[in-house]
Amino acid sequence: MRATPAILALILVLTGCWDLKEAQNVNFVTALGVDYDDGRYVIYAQLLDFAEIAKQEGTVETGNAKVWIGKGEGKTVTEALNSLYPASQQRTLWTHVRAIVFSQALLDKHLKGALNGLIRSRDLRYTPWVFGTDKDIPTVFSSVSLLNESVLNSLLLEPKEIFRQYSFAEPIRLIKFMDGVKEPAVTALLPQISWTDEVWEENGEPVPQVKLTGAYAIAEGRNRGVVDQTMLQGARYVSFKRMSKYPLTLTLNDGSPVTLSIGSPKRDIRIGKGGTGNDVRIRVRLKAYITEIGASSRATAADISALAAKKIEEDIRRSFAAAKSKNIDIYNLEEKLYRYDQARWKRICAGGKPCISRLGLEEVNAEVEIAHSTSYKLPGK
């Protein structure tokens, strides 16, 4: 049976993808940097060699993927983004952006304007990881690969794996970071990154790598200050949504050291007593694993647990005091009032003064369960 002209025409229509673009013919931006300088927004776009990354799959010798960095400027974010196109050679897509890095200069005064411009782009999604930095953004973008691994597995583009092993600063996505900009009582902890060439070498030459150094406290769309390691110590136990593991080193009564891996915190935060008062009570329960202990130590699990609980209580108090001195609500206490006790929130936080300045840490109680001693045999076990 002969095919009619109509059937042949239909077959041609069904099998054709006339506007199909090959991946190698598109610029996929993987990371975006946003700075503000001299009254203009500065955009940095990181491009990866996806052809090289594709070769890395299924082979041991991965090679080093190339990284390109573009720069655009404008009075608005949209103008800065558009300024990249004339010299991009190919179509540029923002749908694959996996990380956004904000400069400290932008965080201090121009974060709201930058975010308004970014989220109104129909290509950019709400899922990228977000970071802040006080370093040169192009240098940070160039310091993303290690040991011939795919750049897509770097700390910048996939921070969850590092956090599971070492919960230094909790990764945050753009959609959650927006709470610290849009919500009136939320403090978002934005991870702060830098770079270092003092850890890894390749053939005797330093290899610069992205490094976590702290966090920025973002409230009402503005940077309230740097959250250093002292403040982060307590934030891990109280503020982080999740905390997988973090080392805690103690000195036992007999002088021998012990190192624990702390994780799985459960918190109970109460503000005021019987509906009145500005005093805060915090209770945390954590699990700990012994990773190392002095060979001559005779400490029991109860001894170690009590010592760890005391140290954690001190860390929570120290972090609160350090943050309060800078008017940083490190434990998001104002948010708790705002969400669950609006009347008291209006009473305590009215008058123009920072709400945290009117709250005091009355009681801290920590409970530490030694879940496992690994290969160490503790007395009484």
PDB file of all heavy atoms in Angstrom, residues 150-173:
ATOM      1  N   SER A 150      35.366  15.922  39.502  1.00  0.00           N
ATOM      2  CA  SER A 150      34.519  16.829  38.756  1.00  0.00           C
ATOM      3  C   SER A 150      34.298  18.107  39.548  1.00  0.00           C
ATOM      4  O   SER A 150      34.068  18.075  40.757  1.00  0.00           O
ATOM      5  CB  SER A 150      33.165  16.164  38.460  1.00  0.00           C
ATOM      6  OG  SER A 150      32.244  17.118  37.987  1.00  0.00           O
ATOM      7  N   VAL A 151      34.351  19.248  38.861  1.00  0.00           N
ATOM      8  CA  VAL A 151      34.102  20.517  39.517  1.00  0.00           C
ATOM      9  C   VAL A 151      32.692  20.559  40.100  1.00  0.00           C
ATOM     10  O   VAL A 151      32.427  21.255  41.079  1.00  0.00           O
ATOM     11  CB  VAL A 151      34.311  21.678  38.516  1.00  0.00           C
ATOM     12  CG1 VAL A 151      34.069  23.014  39.169  1.00  0.00           C
ATOM     13  CG2 VAL A 151      35.720  21.620  37.947  1.00  0.00           C
ATOM     14  N   LEU A 152      31.785  19.803  39.522  1.00  0.00           N
ATOM     15  CA  LEU A 152      30.414  19.772  40.019  1.00  0.00           C
ATOM     16  C   LEU A 152      30.332  19.210  41.432  1.00  0.00           C
ATOM     17  O   LEU A 152      29.333  19.409  42.121  1.00  0.00           O
ATOM     18  CB  LEU A 152      29.525  18.944  39.081  1.00  0.00           C
ATOM     19  CG  LEU A 152      29.366  19.484  37.653  1.00  0.00           C
ATOM     20  CD1 LEU A 152      28.527  18.519  36.830  1.00  0.00           C
ATOM     21  CD2 LEU A 152      28.716  20.861  37.663  1.00  0.00           C
ATOM     22  N   ASN A 153      31.376  18.496  41.882  1.00  0.00           N
ATOM     23  CA  ASN A 153      31.389  17.922  43.224  1.00  0.00           C
ATOM     24  C   ASN A 153      32.133  18.792  44.223  1.00  0.00           C
ATOM     25  O   ASN A 153      32.434  18.353  45.333  1.00  0.00           O
ATOM     26  CB  ASN A 153      32.026  16.528  43.196  1.00  0.00           C
ATOM     27  CG  ASN A 153      31.207  15.540  42.397  1.00  0.00           C
ATOM     28  OD1 ASN A 153      29.988  15.652  42.330  1.00  0.00           O
ATOM     29  ND2 ASN A 153      31.866  14.583  41.769  1.00  0.00           N
ATOM     30  N   SER A 154      32.446  20.021  43.857  1.00  0.00           N
ATOM     31  CA  SER A 154      33.204  20.904  44.740  1.00  0.00           C
ATOM     32  C   SER A 154      32.334  21.430  45.871  1.00  0.00           C
ATOM     33  O   SER A 154      31.104  21.360  45.827  1.00  0.00           O
ATOM     34  CB  SER A 154      33.770  22.078  43.939  1.00  0.00           C
ATOM     35  OG  SER A 154      32.723  22.882  43.444  1.00  0.00           O
ATOM     36  N   LEU A 155      32.992  21.977  46.878  1.00  0.00           N
ATOM     37  CA  LEU A 155      32.280  22.542  48.018  1.00  0.00           C
ATOM     38  C   LEU A 155      31.333  23.643  47.584  1.00  0.00           C
ATOM     39  O   LEU A 155      30.239  23.792  48.120  1.00  0.00           O
ATOM     40  CB  LEU A 155      33.289  23.089  49.039  1.00  0.00           C
ATOM     41  CG  LEU A 155      32.760  23.654  50.355  1.00  0.00           C
ATOM     42  CD1 LEU A 155      33.783  23.456  51.457  1.00  0.00           C
ATOM     43  CD2 LEU A 155      32.419  25.143  50.252  1.00  0.00           C
ATOM     44  N   LEU A 156      31.721  24.419  46.584  1.00  0.00           N
ATOM     45  CA  LEU A 156      30.902  25.533  46.122  1.00  0.00           C
ATOM     46  C   LEU A 156      29.601  25.052  45.482  1.00  0.00           C
ATOM     47  O   LEU A 156      28.531  25.623  45.718  1.00  0.00           O
ATOM     48  CB  LEU A 156      31.691  26.377  45.129  1.00  0.00           C
ATOM     49  CG  LEU A 156      31.000  27.629  44.582  1.00  0.00           C
ATOM     50  CD1 LEU A 156      30.812  28.660  45.680  1.00  0.00           C
ATOM     51  CD2 LEU A 156      31.789  28.222  43.418  1.00  0.00           C
ATOM     52  N   LEU A 157      29.676  24.012  44.676  1.00  0.00           N
ATOM     53  CA  LEU A 157      28.512  23.568  43.914  1.00  0.00           C
ATOM     54  C   LEU A 157      27.735  22.433  44.585  1.00  0.00           C
ATOM     55  O   LEU A 157      26.586  22.179  44.226  1.00  0.00           O
ATOM     56  CB  LEU A 157      28.948  23.140  42.505  1.00  0.00           C
ATOM     57  CG  LEU A 157      29.657  24.213  41.673  1.00  0.00           C
ATOM     58  CD1 LEU A 157      29.978  23.680  40.290  1.00  0.00           C
ATOM     59  CD2 LEU A 157      28.831  25.483  41.571  1.00  0.00           C
ATOM     60  N   GLU A 158      28.345  21.748  45.538  1.00  0.00           N
ATOM     61  CA  GLU A 158      27.662  20.662  46.242  1.00  0.00           C
ATOM     62  C   GLU A 158      28.180  20.600  47.682  1.00  0.00           C
ATOM     63  O   GLU A 158      29.007  19.744  48.035  1.00  0.00           O
ATOM     64  CB  GLU A 158      27.899  19.334  45.529  1.00  0.00           C
ATOM     65  CG  GLU A 158      27.099  18.170  46.106  1.00  0.00           C
ATOM     66  CD  GLU A 158      25.633  18.515  46.313  1.00  0.00           C
ATOM     67  OE1 GLU A 158      24.890  18.569  45.318  1.00  0.00           O
ATOM     68  OE2 GLU A 158      25.243  18.759  47.464  1.00  0.00           O
ATOM     69  N   PRO A 159      27.724  21.526  48.557  1.00  0.00           N
ATOM     70  CA  PRO A 159      28.272  21.616  49.916  1.00  0.00           C
ATOM     71  C   PRO A 159      27.723  20.586  50.904  1.00  0.00           C
ATOM     72  O   PRO A 159      28.247  20.444  51.997  1.00  0.00           O
ATOM     73  CB  PRO A 159      27.868  23.031  50.347  1.00  0.00           C
ATOM     74  CG  PRO A 159      26.613  23.300  49.577  1.00  0.00           C
ATOM     75  CD  PRO A 159      26.764  22.595  48.254  1.00  0.00           C
ATOM     76  N   LYS A 160      26.674  19.854  50.527  1.00  0.00           N
ATOM     77  CA  LYS A 160      26.054  18.935  51.480  1.00  0.00           C
ATOM     78  C   LYS A 160      26.985  17.808  51.912  1.00  0.00           C
ATOM     79  O   LYS A 160      26.956  17.391  53.070  1.00  0.00           O
ATOM     80  CB  LYS A 160      24.770  18.341  50.884  1.00  0.00           C
ATOM     81  CG  LYS A 160      23.600  19.283  50.804  1.00  0.00           C
ATOM     82  CD  LYS A 160      22.303  18.548  50.511  1.00  0.00           C
ATOM     83  CE  LYS A 160      22.384  17.768  49.221  1.00  0.00           C
ATOM     84  NZ  LYS A 160      21.097  17.105  48.894  1.00  0.00           N
ATOM     85  N   GLU A 161      27.795  17.302  50.978  1.00  0.00           N
ATOM     86  CA  GLU A 161      28.657  16.174  51.320  1.00  0.00           C
ATOM     87  C   GLU A 161      29.683  16.553  52.379  1.00  0.00           C
ATOM     88  O   GLU A 161      29.952  15.788  53.305  1.00  0.00           O
ATOM     89  CB  GLU A 161      29.349  15.660  50.053  1.00  0.00           C
ATOM     90  CG  GLU A 161      28.408  15.003  49.061  1.00  0.00           C
ATOM     91  CD  GLU A 161      27.636  13.851  49.662  1.00  0.00           C
ATOM     92  OE1 GLU A 161      28.257  13.016  50.347  1.00  0.00           O
ATOM     93  OE2 GLU A 161      26.416  13.789  49.465  1.00  0.00           O
ATOM     94  N   ILE A 162      30.270  17.735  52.256  1.00  0.00           N
ATOM     95  CA  ILE A 162      31.222  18.199  53.260  1.00  0.00           C
ATOM     96  C   ILE A 162      30.517  18.393  54.600  1.00  0.00           C
ATOM     97  O   ILE A 162      31.050  18.046  55.662  1.00  0.00           O
ATOM     98  CB  ILE A 162      31.887  19.512  52.807  1.00  0.00           C
ATOM     99  CG1 ILE A 162      32.742  19.280  51.556  1.00  0.00           C
ATOM    100  CG2 ILE A 162      32.734  20.102  53.926  1.00  0.00           C
ATOM    101  CD1 ILE A 162      33.919  18.376  51.777  1.00  0.00           C
ATOM    102  N   PHE A 163      29.300  18.952  54.557  1.00  0.00           N
ATOM    103  CA  PHE A 163      28.569  19.215  55.799  1.00  0.00           C
ATOM    104  C   PHE A 163      28.242  17.926  56.538  1.00  0.00           C
ATOM    105  O   PHE A 163      28.238  17.890  57.772  1.00  0.00           O
ATOM    106  CB  PHE A 163      27.285  19.987  55.491  1.00  0.00           C
ATOM    107  CG  PHE A 163      26.527  20.413  56.716  1.00  0.00           C
ATOM    108  CD1 PHE A 163      26.975  21.455  57.504  1.00  0.00           C
ATOM    109  CD2 PHE A 163      25.361  19.752  57.085  1.00  0.00           C
ATOM    110  CE1 PHE A 163      26.277  21.841  58.649  1.00  0.00           C
ATOM    111  CE2 PHE A 163      24.658  20.126  58.224  1.00  0.00           C
ATOM    112  CZ  PHE A 163      25.120  21.183  59.004  1.00  0.00           C
ATOM    113  N   ARG A 164      27.960  16.862  55.799  1.00  0.00           N
ATOM    114  CA  ARG A 164      27.659  15.581  56.451  1.00  0.00           C
ATOM    115  C   ARG A 164      28.868  15.052  57.207  1.00  0.00           C
ATOM    116  O   ARG A 164      28.724  14.385  58.231  1.00  0.00           O
ATOM    117  CB  ARG A 164      27.211  14.554  55.406  1.00  0.00           C
ATOM    118  CG  ARG A 164      25.833  14.830  54.808  1.00  0.00           C
ATOM    119  CD  ARG A 164      25.345  13.640  54.019  1.00  0.00           C
ATOM    120  NE  ARG A 164      24.061  13.903  53.380  1.00  0.00           N
ATOM    121  CZ  ARG A 164      23.902  14.138  52.092  1.00  0.00           C
ATOM    122  NH1 ARG A 164      24.958  14.129  51.290  1.00  0.00           N
ATOM    123  NH2 ARG A 164      22.714  14.377  51.585  1.00  0.00           N
ATOM    124  N   GLN A 165      30.050  15.357  56.716  1.00  0.00           N
ATOM    125  CA  GLN A 165      31.262  14.867  57.360  1.00  0.00           C
ATOM    126  C   GLN A 165      31.800  15.837  58.406  1.00  0.00           C
ATOM    127  O   GLN A 165      32.370  15.423  59.419  1.00  0.00           O
ATOM    128  CB  GLN A 165      32.356  14.615  56.316  1.00  0.00           C
ATOM    129  CG  GLN A 165      33.628  14.026  56.895  1.00  0.00           C
ATOM    130  CD  GLN A 165      34.651  13.742  55.819  1.00  0.00           C
ATOM    131  OE1 GLN A 165      34.788  14.500  54.865  1.00  0.00           O
ATOM    132  NE2 GLN A 165      35.391  12.654  55.961  1.00  0.00           N
ATOM    133  N   TYR A 166      31.585  17.138  58.169  1.00  0.00           N
ATOM    134  CA  TYR A 166      32.163  18.161  59.042  1.00  0.00           C
ATOM    135  C   TYR A 166      31.202  19.347  59.050  1.00  0.00           C
ATOM    136  O   TYR A 166      31.222  20.186  58.164  1.00  0.00           O
ATOM    137  CB  TYR A 166      33.542  18.571  58.506  1.00  0.00           C
ATOM    138  CG  TYR A 166      34.327  19.501  59.388  1.00  0.00           C
ATOM    139  CD1 TYR A 166      34.918  19.038  60.554  1.00  0.00           C
ATOM    140  CD2 TYR A 166      34.500  20.842  59.044  1.00  0.00           C
ATOM    141  CE1 TYR A 166      35.672  19.887  61.359  1.00  0.00           C
ATOM    142  CE2 TYR A 166      35.241  21.692  59.835  1.00  0.00           C
ATOM    143  CZ  TYR A 166      35.820  21.209  60.994  1.00  0.00           C
ATOM    144  OH  TYR A 166      36.564  22.058  61.791  1.00  0.00           O
ATOM    145  N   SER A 167      30.328  19.393  60.054  1.00  0.00           N
ATOM    146  CA  SER A 167      29.236  20.375  60.079  1.00  0.00           C
ATOM    147  C   SER A 167      29.727  21.724  60.604  1.00  0.00           C
ATOM    148  O   SER A 167      29.368  22.167  61.696  1.00  0.00           O
ATOM    149  CB  SER A 167      28.083  19.858  60.945  1.00  0.00           C
ATOM    150  OG  SER A 167      27.594  18.637  60.445  1.00  0.00           O
ATOM    151  N   PHE A 168      30.523  22.398  59.786  1.00  0.00           N
ATOM    152  CA  PHE A 168      31.111  23.680  60.184  1.00  0.00           C
ATOM    153  C   PHE A 168      30.107  24.817  60.027  1.00  0.00           C
ATOM    154  O   PHE A 168      29.828  25.561  60.958  1.00  0.00           O
ATOM    155  CB  PHE A 168      32.359  23.952  59.345  1.00  0.00           C
ATOM    156  CG  PHE A 168      33.022  25.270  59.668  1.00  0.00           C
ATOM    157  CD1 PHE A 168      33.862  25.381  60.760  1.00  0.00           C
ATOM    158  CD2 PHE A 168      32.809  26.385  58.876  1.00  0.00           C
ATOM    159  CE1 PHE A 168      34.469  26.590  61.067  1.00  0.00           C
ATOM    160  CE2 PHE A 168      33.401  27.602  59.167  1.00  0.00           C
ATOM    161  CZ  PHE A 168      34.238  27.709  60.269  1.00  0.00           C
ATOM    162  N   ALA A 169      29.571  24.993  58.814  1.00  0.00           N
ATOM    163  CA  ALA A 169      28.559  26.015  58.542  1.00  0.00           C
ATOM    164  C   ALA A 169      27.479  25.375  57.685  1.00  0.00           C
ATOM    165  O   ALA A 169      27.776  24.743  56.673  1.00  0.00           O
ATOM    166  CB  ALA A 169      29.170  27.221  57.842  1.00  0.00           C
ATOM    167  N   GLU A 170      26.234  25.537  58.089  1.00  0.00           N
ATOM    168  CA  GLU A 170      25.139  24.827  57.421  1.00  0.00           C
ATOM    169  C   GLU A 170      24.853  25.427  56.050  1.00  0.00           C
ATOM    170  O   GLU A 170      24.633  26.644  55.926  1.00  0.00           O
ATOM    171  CB  GLU A 170      23.881  24.888  58.274  1.00  0.00           C
ATOM    172  CG  GLU A 170      22.746  24.033  57.745  1.00  0.00           C
ATOM    173  CD  GLU A 170      21.581  23.975  58.706  1.00  0.00           C
ATOM    174  OE1 GLU A 170      21.368  24.951  59.448  1.00  0.00           O
ATOM    175  OE2 GLU A 170      20.878  22.946  58.719  1.00  0.00           O
ATOM    176  N   PRO A 171      24.842  24.610  54.997  1.00  0.00           N
ATOM    177  CA  PRO A 171      24.501  25.117  53.658  1.00  0.00           C
ATOM    178  C   PRO A 171      23.071  25.626  53.630  1.00  0.00           C
ATOM    179  O   PRO A 171      22.202  25.116  54.334  1.00  0.00           O
ATOM    180  CB  PRO A 171      24.674  23.891  52.753  1.00  0.00           C
ATOM    181  CG  PRO A 171      25.448  22.894  53.550  1.00  0.00           C
ATOM    182  CD  PRO A 171      25.136  23.158  54.975  1.00  0.00           C
ATOM    183  N   ILE A 172      22.825  26.621  52.803  1.00  0.00           N
ATOM    184  CA  ILE A 172      21.482  27.182  52.701  1.00  0.00           C
ATOM    185  C   ILE A 172      21.172  27.479  51.241  1.00  0.00           C
ATOM    186  O   ILE A 172      22.032  27.971  50.505  1.00  0.00           O
ATOM    187  CB  ILE A 172      21.350  28.450  53.575  1.00  0.00           C
ATOM    188  CG1 ILE A 172      19.920  28.984  53.541  1.00  0.00           C
ATOM    189  CG2 ILE A 172      22.339  29.528  53.156  1.00  0.00           C
ATOM    190  CD1 ILE A 172      19.670  30.105  54.547  1.00  0.00           C
ATOM    191  N   ARG A 173      19.967  27.140  50.828  1.00  0.00           N
ATOM    192  CA  ARG A 173      19.538  27.414  49.452  1.00  0.00           C
ATOM    193  C   ARG A 173      18.872  28.782  49.386  1.00  0.00           C
ATOM    194  O   ARG A 173      18.418  29.338  50.385  1.00  0.00           O
ATOM    195  CB  ARG A 173      18.585  26.320  48.956  1.00  0.00           C
ATOM    196  CG  ARG A 173      19.234  24.951  48.806  1.00  0.00           C
ATOM    197  CD  ARG A 173      18.306  23.985  48.101  1.00  0.00           C
ATOM    198  NE  ARG A 173      18.841  22.639  48.051  1.00  0.00           N
ATOM    199  CZ  ARG A 173      19.620  22.177  47.088  1.00  0.00           C
ATOM    200  NH1 ARG A 173      19.968  22.981  46.085  1.00  0.00           N
ATOM    201  NH2 ARG A 173      20.056  20.928  47.098  1.00  0.00           N
TER     202      ARG A 173
END
